[in-house]
Amino acid sequence: MIKQWPSRNPLPESHKVQGMKEYQIRYLENVPASDPSIGRRTSGGDYNWNSKVVMLHGLKSDSGKFSSYKGAYVGKKHMWFRKHVRSIACMFVLAGFFFLLDSLMVSIFDSINLQTSSTSKISRLKAMKDETVAYINTEKPPVEMYGPLLSLASAALTEKEFKQETSNFWKEPYRQASLWKPCADRRTPNLGKRDKSNGYIMVSANGGLNQQRVAICNAVAVASLLNATLVLPRFLYSNVWKDPSQFGDIYQEEYFVNMLKHEVNIVKELPPHLESIDIEAMGSLITDADILKEAKPIDYIRKVLPILERNRIVHFLGFGNRLGFDPLPSELQRLRCKCNFHALKFVPKIQEAGSLLVRRIREYDFARSLLDKQLLGNFLPNFPSKNREVAGPYRYLALHLRFEEDMVAYSQCDFRGGEDERRELQAYREIHFPLLIERLKNSKTISPEQLRKLGRCPLTPEEAALLLSALGFNRGTYIYLAGSQIYGGKSRMQPFTSLYPNLVTKETLLTRSELEPFKNFSSQLAALDFIACATADVFAMTDSGSQLSSLVSGFRTYYGNGHAPTLRPNKKRLAAILSQNSTIGWNDFEDRVRKMIEEGQRVRVRGFGRSIYRQPRCTACMCRSY
């Protein structure tokens, strides 16, 4: 142990030196050799200690108040500071520099945040809302409206699986469906291009893929009616669809022009002398406000033809459902059919991806049909080899489940999602449907229960599953789900997937790299859904008013040769059946649902005023064999 010398009895100077040396030796012997910090402090040899002794010897007499140990320590400390004064100064300067730099950076970022806070506030709030909705959609417990019927459906599917029973709805129930054949591509002698054109018609179509398709076909008919040259239609950018795709990104331009060249003159662009003119200033801009919905041919002849003949050009802006179906000359009806069913072919990129979709859901190479040839072109899968064992499903059902947030909110129906869901849908209406909100303020309120009885509510995934169960589709049925994201996410889909687990979408069938070319192009993605639904063995819809469902069912009628059944529920009748959820027996439920669907499958000729795109069975569009 190191001995402490009392300060009040100082030793002679010789003893001080001897004591300091003895302390140095003992101290160094007790310090581990591996300690780097101690090693640095004690480096330097004996001459350092001797110099410290000389310094102590020159102190004034009042230094006797301190012990020799403290004196040595003070001298050592002063020597260390003198030796490292530059390092200490550099360290303080460096710390000050970093402090100033940090302050500068903070001020810069604060300035940037202040400048952008006002413009990014809405985006941040929207992102927070989206995250909240996503969380609600994925984390909420399952929502069920028909618990008793779900239990009966589950038991019925288990029984059918045990007995290996299959549904009768994989086939068309009526033989008359195969008597109608496609023939709109035939040439009509009375409808041909005249030598002199009255001018150019430009069309800017709005909406999504299917609304644009209808606009294109109507534009072809109007161009023929007014004896005008049609400029290849353009598509307006919509804040809803957010798709910059143009005609050539979706449809084959050359094929379209060549298919219709004998009836309508079509060019890709205006001639140079007309490109720079101010169409609006010269009075040639025609909006939907200028043309009645489902206008008659006489309306175009009276209002549009004089402008066309005077200015040699008209521009239909937002051209949609502005040409009625009746009364219309049969030649123009046939021309619209030819445009829709023959001239509009998807580009190879879409055809190839569509072929992959169908091949993967079937899990084998399927036989060719008229539907496949029209929609897939040169990307038809090969016939299966004779030595190849076919695996997986031979057939699949495509379902267009129209239960997106916009549809749900606009309906004003109640879907048993609680107060949170009601507030969320009301907020969506206030943001996206302000005109609806104003109209509701000035009209008599219809209760959600009454809306459901009237058949105005979109079918939920649960209701769609009960419908398919009643029609005898077993639990192992492969189902392709078309459309956008289902409102309510997993909580809404759980009743459906509990009965039908083999549910696939384009996102699950195609890889990320295969979907990459279609990213941010909603219309091109919708074209993939169109192909998968049209070529399915069975197509089921939940909303017959949907453009996709309407056009797909028309394609299946036109090219299906009586072997492409479509299931179209009557929502009013179905609501009456489902209202007896707690009391109806399963057999009674099955019988009533099947009668409803069979009624919708009857072979009918298109009625007056009905859509030629949805119901092409008429002499202007199809030929009937007896």
Side-chain angles (χ1 to χ4, degrees):
M1 183 175 178
I2 301 175
K3 187 176 181 180
Q4 296 286 338
W5 300 100
S7 60
R8 293 188 179 182
N9 300 300
L11 293 177
E13 295 297 328
S14 60
H15 287 162
K16 285 185 182 180
V17 175
Q18 183 180 356
M20 290 299 294
K21 286 188 177 181
E22 181 180 356
Y23 169 76
Q24 179 192 19
I25 294 170
R26 291 183 180 179
Y27 183 80
L28 289 175
E29 286 176 350
N30 293 328
V31 174
S34 61
D35 191 335
S37 63
I38 298 298
R40 285 194 299 270
R41 294 184 76 177
T42 57
S43 63
D46 287 344
Y47 72 93
N48 284 334
W49 286 98
N50 293 333
S51 62
K52 290 181 178 60
V53 172
V54 172
M55 290 174 61
L56 289 170
H57 186 69
L59 290 174
K60 295 181 180 180
S61 59
D62 60 355
S63 63
K65 297 179 182 179
F66 303 94
S67 67
S68 60
Y69 173 79
K70 286 186 177 181
Y73 174 78
V74 172
K76 178 183 176 183
K77 182 177 180 181
H78 289 174
M79 190 67 182
W80 186 87
F81 274 113
R82 289 175 61 188
K83 185 177 181 180
H84 297 87
V85 65
R86 291 186 178 179
S87 300
I88 294 171
C90 289
M91 188 168 63
F92 275 107
V93 171
L94 197 60
F97 172 77
F98 280 118
F99 178 80
L100 291 174
L101 182 63
D102 181 71
S103 300
L104 181 62
M105 294 299 292
V106 169
S107 64
I108 290 174
F109 281 116
D110 285 345
S111 176
I112 293 173
N113 288 336
L114 285 173
Q115 292 175 5
T116 59
S117 61
S118 60
T119 58
S120 63
K121 183 177 180 180
I122 297 176
S123 299
R124 290 200 306 270
L125 290 174
K126 186 178 184 301
M128 290 172 64
K129 178 183 179 294
D130 292 343
E131 290 176 3
T132 303
V133 171
Y135 175 80
I136 291 173
N137 288 347
T138 55
E139 297 297 330
K140 286 192 302 186
V143 180
E144 293 183 1
M145 299 173 63
Y146 309 96
L149 269 175
L150 273 178
S151 299
L152 293 176
S154 181
L157 290 180
T158 301
E159 183 179 356
K160 290 181 184 296
E161 192 173 3
F162 178 76
K163 294 181 180 180
Q164 296 184 340
E165 295 181 3
T166 59
S167 173
N168 296 327
F169 287 87
W170 287 106
K171 297 180 181 180
E172 289 264 17
Y174 301 104
R175 187 187 66 85
Q176 295 91 328
S178 61
L179 299 179
W180 290 88
K181 308 294 181 182
C183 61
D185 56 338
R186 68 189 187 279
R187 290 184 60 183
T188 303
N190 297 331
L191 189 64
K193 292 186 299 184
R194 280 167 272 182
D195 294 335
K196 186 178 179 181
S197 171
N198 287 325
Y200 293 88
I201 287 180
M202 297 175 62
V203 172
S204 296
N206 54 9
L209 173 79
N210 302 293
Q211 291 88 344
Q212 292 166 352
R213 189 181 188 102
V214 170
I216 294 168
C217 297
N218 289 344
V220 168
V222 169
S224 176
L225 173 69
L226 302 180
N227 187 34
T229 298
L230 177 66
V231 181
L232 208 64
R234 294 191 60 81
F235 302 149
L236 294 173
Y237 182 84
S238 167
N239 288 329
V240 176
W241 300 101
K242 297 180 179 179
D243 186 352
S245 297
Q246 289 302 321
F247 190 101
D249 299 314
I250 301 173
Y251 302 109
Q252 298 179 32
E253 293 181 351
E254 295 295 337
Y255 187 90
F256 177 77
V257 173
N258 290 331
M259 178 58 67
L260 299 172
K261 65 183 180 181
H262 296 295
E263 289 93 353
V264 181
N265 189 32
I266 303 174
V267 295
K268 293 184 179 180
E269 297 177 352
L270 282 172
H273 72 278
L274 292 177
E275 287 182 348
S276 59
I277 63 173
D278 190 336
I279 295 177
E280 185 175 4
M282 66 191 306
S284 288
L285 183 66
I286 300 174
T287 67
D288 284 353
D290 302 315
I291 296 292
L292 296 173
K293 186 177 181 180
E294 297 189 0
K296 299 176 182 178
I298 191 64
D299 296 322
Y300 285 92
I301 293 173
R302 288 175 178 173
K303 295 181 179 180
V304 180
L305 184 58
I307 300 174
L308 179 66
E309 291 177 331
R310 181 176 66 250
N311 299 332
R312 300 292 297 168
I313 186 171
V314 292
H315 182 191
F316 291 103
L317 181 64
F319 188 70
N321 188 18
R322 297 291 148 177
L323 179 63
F325 293 102
D326 292 296
L328 199 72
S330 60
E331 292 84 1
L332 291 182
Q333 291 283 37
R334 185 199 61 78
L335 184 58
R336 291 207 290 194
C337 280
K338 183 175 182 178
C339 177
N340 182 47
F341 298 114
H342 293 275
L344 290 173
K345 279 201 172 186
F346 293 124
V347 293
K349 178 180 74 171
I350 294 176
Q351 290 181 335
E352 183 178 17
S355 179
L356 281 175
L357 273 179
V358 179
R359 193 186 316 167
R360 285 175 183 168
I361 191 172
R362 292 184 189 274
E363 296 183 4
Y364 81 107
D365 296 330
F366 55 94
R368 302 170 187 233
S369 68
L370 288 176
L371 273 169
D372 302 327
K373 291 177 181 178
Q374 173 64 22
L375 292 169
L376 301 179
N378 296 328
F379 295 95
L380 278 171
N382 297 322
F383 286 104
S385 61
K386 295 181 180 180
N387 299 326
R388 181 174 178 266
E389 182 179 354
V390 176
Y394 286 80
R395 53 196 178 186
Y396 73 96
L397 180 148
L399 173 65
H400 186 212
L401 186 52
R402 193 76 169 86
F403 198 73
E404 295 93 357
E405 188 172 13
D406 60 339
M407 185 80 170
V408 173
Y410 194 85
S411 71
Q412 307 164 63
C413 297
D414 181 70
F415 299 95
R416 313 279 176 84
E419 188 60 31
D420 288 342
E421 182 175 277
R422 282 191 287 274
R423 284 198 300 265
E424 186 176 73
L425 293 177
Q426 179 61 21
Y428 188 93
R429 281 190 287 269
E430 290 175 357
I431 296 172
H432 298 280
F433 305 126
L435 295 179
L436 173 64
I437 297 296
E438 290 298 318
R439 193 179 73 208
L440 292 175
K441 291 178 181 178
N442 302 319
S443 61
K444 184 179 179 180
T445 303
I446 304 177
S447 68
E449 293 77 15
Q450 189 65 20
L451 288 171
R452 189 169 298 279
K453 288 181 181 179
L454 293 172
R456 296 184 185 179
C457 298
L459 297 191
T460 67
E462 180 183 14
E463 290 169 332
L466 290 171
L467 177 72
L468 296 179
S469 301
L471 298 179
F473 292 100
N474 61 44
R475 196 184 298 272
T477 302
Y478 275 72
I479 298 176
Y480 178 89
L481 183 63
S484 303
Q485 291 186 350
I486 301 302
Y487 175 71
K490 292 182 180 179
S491 63
R492 279 290 175 187
M493 287 302 298
Q494 196 277 335
F496 189 101
T497 54
S498 67
L499 298 181
Y500 294 101
N502 294 328
L503 190 70
V504 295
T505 64
K506 55 184 174 292
E507 288 80 12
T508 59
L509 289 171
L510 299 179
T511 65
R512 183 177 298 180
S513 61
E514 289 166 345
L515 279 171
E516 184 64 29
F518 307 99
K519 187 178 180 181
N520 300 324
F521 298 104
S522 60
S523 293
Q524 297 181 42
L525 288 171
L528 299 181
D529 279 338
F530 189 102
I531 291 174
C533 289
T535 59
D537 297 275
V538 176
F539 173 60
M541 67 181 74
T542 58
D543 180 27
S544 58
S546 161
Q547 284 281 19
L548 173 66
S549 295
S550 179
L551 290 173
V552 165
S553 61
F555 245 80
R556 294 173 64 80
T557 298
Y558 190 81
Y559 285 111
N561 195 30
H563 302 292
T566 296
L567 312 179
R568 185 183 293 106
N570 182 312
K571 290 193 291 184
K572 186 176 180 179
R573 288 177 62 179
L574 184 60
I577 299 171
L578 290 171
S579 66
Q580 303 175 34
N581 166 53
S582 301
T583 57
I584 194 170
W586 183 252
N587 290 337
D588 190 15
F589 180 74
E590 275 188 332
D591 290 342
R592 294 176 66 179
V593 169
R594 291 185 180 198
K595 288 178 182 178
M596 174 190 67
I597 295 297
E598 288 172 353
E599 175 69 20
Q601 288 185 307
R602 288 187 177 179
V603 180
R604 298 181 175 91
V605 176
R606 186 186 74 89
F608 184 87
R610 297 292 182 177
S611 169
I612 197 89
Y613 309 117
R614 173 179 168 180
Q615 298 178 0
R617 287 193 189 106
C618 64
T619 55
C621 198
M622 299 184 73
C623 297
R624 182 174 180 178
S625 58
Y626 295 92

